[in-house]
Amino acid sequence: MKNAFPQEFLWGGAIAANQVEGAYLTDGKGLSTSDLQPHGIFGEIVERHEGDHGIKDVAIDFYHRYPEDIALFAEMGFTCLRVSIAWTRIFPQGDEAEPNEAGLAFYDRLFDELATHNITPLVTLSHYEMPYGLVKNYGGWGSRKTIGFFTRYARTVFERYRHKVKLWLTFNEINMALHEPFTGVGLPKESSKGEIYQAIHHQLVASAAAVKALHEIIPDGRIGNMLLGGLLYPLSCAPADVLATQRQNRDWLFFGDVQARGYYPSYMTRYLREQGVALEITEEDRETLKSTVDFISFSYYMSGCVTADEALNQQMRGNILNMVPNPHLASSEWGWQIDPEGLRILLNMLWDRYQKPLFIVENGLGAKDKLEADGSINDDYRIQYLNDHLVQVGEAMEDGVEVLGYTSWGPIDLVSASKAELSKRYGFIYVDRDDNGEGTLTRRRKKSFNWYQEVIRSRGASLTRK
Ligand code: BG6
């Protein structure tokens, strides 16, 4: 492939605190909503008791092993690493007046280590977790007070790391709250549409307040939103299917519309009215929402189809959304349909809609890897997946889309979000730990490690087209 990627394009990987760090109560950390989901975001919510165990309590022990892991990322040539800050390390219950110094110090060490290797941090403020204290005592994002707690947290970390971190994201896959309200906004599953949208509104206001704070505190910084890029195609060309698809794509684009444009889109006003949902939106909220993001980031794993037939739409579950299988596409072992061209389509769609730079902050293949007797892991399927998606990123850039970078999901094996599995591996680096928590946590380079290293070194020239 010809060299489509510019010098300043950021290459790397993405991880999230609750899926890698472990050390779930170390150095004063409080319990997060993720700590109550030992079986993943689709599993039950479990109150924690002293002495109990969950796979994420240790995860891959990144909290203690980050220097070794960052050295491996540097060896691959990473110029960027997306991480998240565990809010509960900084404000353990969420409502403290003063931050927890030990938690702040950990991320100082982490960012310093990245700087040693010239790796640019891209930091998510909230990746699928919030202090459980805020859920228990205030009702999560259902409470307007949470906007203030989050803003205090955001300002604290902006102030603290303003010389170390210039690239930020607000909420991971903010649109997922519609599908998993506990993970997204700290509300029970059985919450009504009105309650969920009100909580989402508070979160959107908090996201905009963080954007405003970032611009004040780090004038040379940039902050983006983060969407689950749930690309949906109509299953047929029947207008009813096309309309249903437009409506479902708007379910998630709505979040981007508010975050990129600064106000609620008209189709949403109609939708909420027809659902009988009357949101409490103050004048101050409207003012805050006007602070829009500098760039749009998103995850992309798969696409799906929609029909006007609701029963059929429920047939398939994607990473979060319900989708109808596309007869033209193959699936991963977890049933996620693989669609590299969808990434080009999505990049063009978001560029056409927002005209803001885009950042692919998650993409990758979760698969079962086989550790051979000689210690090698020959993950050609992962190489194929990533190669084909990166080729399409190059195509989109040729189309004129401005893409800031690409951080593949889980450059090192980690605990999966959906079911808290370790056997669902995404990494270039293998971690010796299984679903039961057995293993030495030793790291090993997979075949894809050298492959990605060469892709980065050649700035995409080594990618192969079909
Ligand atoms: C995204 C999340 O939805 O998908 C990540 O932002 C998650 O946290 C990733 O890990 C892959 O999903 P899973 O369930 O395979 O881990």
Side-chain angles (χ1 to χ4, degrees):
M1 184 176 165
K2 79 175 189 327
N3 202 342
F5 295 84
Q7 188 76 48
E8 63 279 9
F9 187 87
L10 291 169
W11 293 96
I15 56 180
N18 73 86
Q19 292 172 263
V20 296
E21 286 178 4
Y24 85 115
L25 291 176
T26 306
D27 292 336
K29 180 182 168 295
L31 282 179
S32 73
T33 44
S34 170
D35 293 322
L36 273 77
Q37 295 175 301
H39 309 298
I41 60 180
F42 298 135
E44 50 172 342
I45 294 153
V46 181
E47 285 286 344
R48 301 300 305 253
H49 301 288
E50 223 184 305
D52 60 8
H53 297 289
I55 192 95
K56 288 186 270 184
D57 300 357
V58 175
I60 59 160
D61 195 28
F62 184 74
Y63 193 80
H64 300 107
R65 292 168 194 250
Y66 69 89
E68 179 192 349
D69 295 340
I70 291 172
L72 287 166
F73 298 149
E75 191 181 324
M76 271 187 282
F78 280 24
T79 53
C80 182
L81 184 71
R82 176 179 174 225
V83 298
S84 70
I85 295 178
W87 183 351
T88 47
R89 292 202 190 281
I90 315 301
F91 290 98
Q93 299 301 316
D95 60 355
E96 294 87 346
E98 295 301 325
N100 171 34
E101 177 53 35
L104 286 167
F106 167 68
Y107 293 104
D108 264 323
R109 296 196 294 277
L110 178 65
F111 300 143
D112 289 346
E113 192 70 24
L114 289 171
T116 307
H117 294 281
N118 287 322
I119 297 177
T120 300
L122 168 63
V123 178
T124 315
L125 290 168
S126 175
H127 189 125
Y128 279 6
E129 58 181 329
M130 71 183 298
Y132 182 53
L134 293 184
V135 172
K136 219 171 37 185
N137 303 323
Y138 299 89
W141 284 99
S143 165
R144 194 166 265 285
K145 287 196 174 137
T146 301
I147 302 174
F149 297 132
F150 179 80
T151 311
R152 182 186 300 166
Y153 156 62
R155 294 193 78 93
T156 302
V157 294
F158 293 160
E159 293 279 1
R160 175 76 170 219
Y161 309 122
R162 65 187 193 281
H163 299 302
K164 300 182 182 182
V165 182
K166 304 289 181 185
L167 283 177
W168 296 84
L169 301 175
T170 59
F171 295 94
N172 182 62
E173 296 189 336
I174 186 164
N175 46 313
M176 75 84 68
L178 283 179
H179 311 279
E180 290 299 330
F182 182 74
T183 305
V185 285
L187 289 189
K189 269 191 191 337
E190 44 303 337
S191 305
S192 69
K193 218 167 233 173
E195 289 165 334
I196 294 173
Y197 271 108
Q198 186 65 52
I200 285 169
H201 172 71
H202 294 151
Q203 203 169 63
L204 286 167
V205 173
S207 173
V211 170
K212 190 161 183 279
L214 184 281
H215 291 153
E216 279 165 29
I217 299 167
I218 317 180
D220 60 340
R222 289 205 275 183
I223 186 161
N225 62 345
M226 200 300 199
L227 301 168
L228 187 170
L231 179 66
L232 297 169
Y233 305 132
L235 188 63
S236 81
C237 51
D241 284 352
V242 178
L243 199 62
T245 308
Q246 183 184 62
R247 191 180 55 70
Q248 287 207 28
N249 274 322
R250 280 173 163 178
D251 280 352
W252 66 270
L253 286 165
F254 151 69
F255 295 81
D257 290 353
V258 177
Q259 292 178 306
R261 297 174 179 156
Y263 55 89
Y264 275 55
S266 51
Y267 63 83
M268 199 58 193
T269 312
R270 174 175 180 177
Y271 172 78
L272 291 172
R273 190 178 59 238
E274 289 180 354
Q275 294 291 315
V277 174
L279 294 184
E280 187 202 64
I281 304 180
T282 66
E283 269 318 302
E284 199 188 336
D285 291 349
R286 289 190 203 282
E287 209 35 52
T288 307
L289 288 177
K290 288 182 188 159
S291 292
T292 57
V293 290
D294 302 316
F295 64 96
I296 309 287
S297 88
F298 65 91
S299 61
Y300 177 76
Y301 293 90
M302 60 188 298
S303 63
C305 295
V306 173
T307 79
D309 176 348
E310 246 326 291
L312 205 55
N313 280 335
Q314 299 300 324
Q315 236 181 41
M316 183 177 129
R317 169 143 231 161
N319 42 351
I320 301 286
L321 314 176
N322 291 322
M323 305 163 165
V324 182
N326 185 329
H328 304 285
L329 299 176
S331 297
S332 78
E333 286 171 276
W334 270 263
W336 295 14
Q337 288 204 295
I338 301 171
D339 180 14
E341 281 172 312
L343 182 52
R344 178 179 179 185
I345 294 167
L346 183 60
L347 281 161
N348 274 280
M349 177 174 154
L350 294 172
W351 176 247
D352 288 350
R353 197 173 181 105
Y354 299 124
Q355 295 281 298
K356 294 206 185 218
L358 304 175
F359 205 136
I360 304 140
V361 296
E362 285 187 32
N363 172 240
L365 180 71
K368 289 201 165 90
D369 288 334
K370 184 161 180 266
L371 181 61
E372 304 291 349
D374 65 359
S376 63
I377 299 113
N378 299 304
D379 54 343
D380 292 294
Y381 35 89
R382 183 168 296 110
I383 293 173
Q384 186 75 55
Y385 178 100
L386 294 169
N387 177 85
D388 296 352
H389 283 76
L390 278 165
V391 165
Q392 296 302 324
V393 176
E395 289 294 339
M397 291 170 81
E398 291 282 324
D399 293 335
V401 179
E402 191 181 339
V403 187
L404 298 174
Y406 175 91
T407 53
S408 74
W409 177 249
I412 182 165
D413 294 344
L414 39 68
V415 182
S416 85
S418 46
K419 293 204 188 131
E421 295 163 304
L422 258 151
S423 51
K424 188 180 189 186
R425 297 173 182 274
Y426 286 88
F428 305 112
I429 301 163
Y430 183 91
V431 177
D432 179 28
R433 193 163 196 236
D434 66 17
D435 290 342
N436 302 317
E438 302 294 329
T440 59
L441 289 165
T442 306
R443 278 59 168 153
R444 279 172 202 279
R445 294 168 187 77
K446 301 182 193 175
K447 188 173 177 184
S448 55
F449 184 99
N450 296 95
W451 171 84
Y452 198 43
Q453 186 181 50
E454 184 52 21
V455 171
I456 298 175
R457 195 203 57 75
S458 68
R459 286 197 279 127
S462 64
L463 294 169
T464 52
R465 287 168 186 272
K466 281 211 180 90

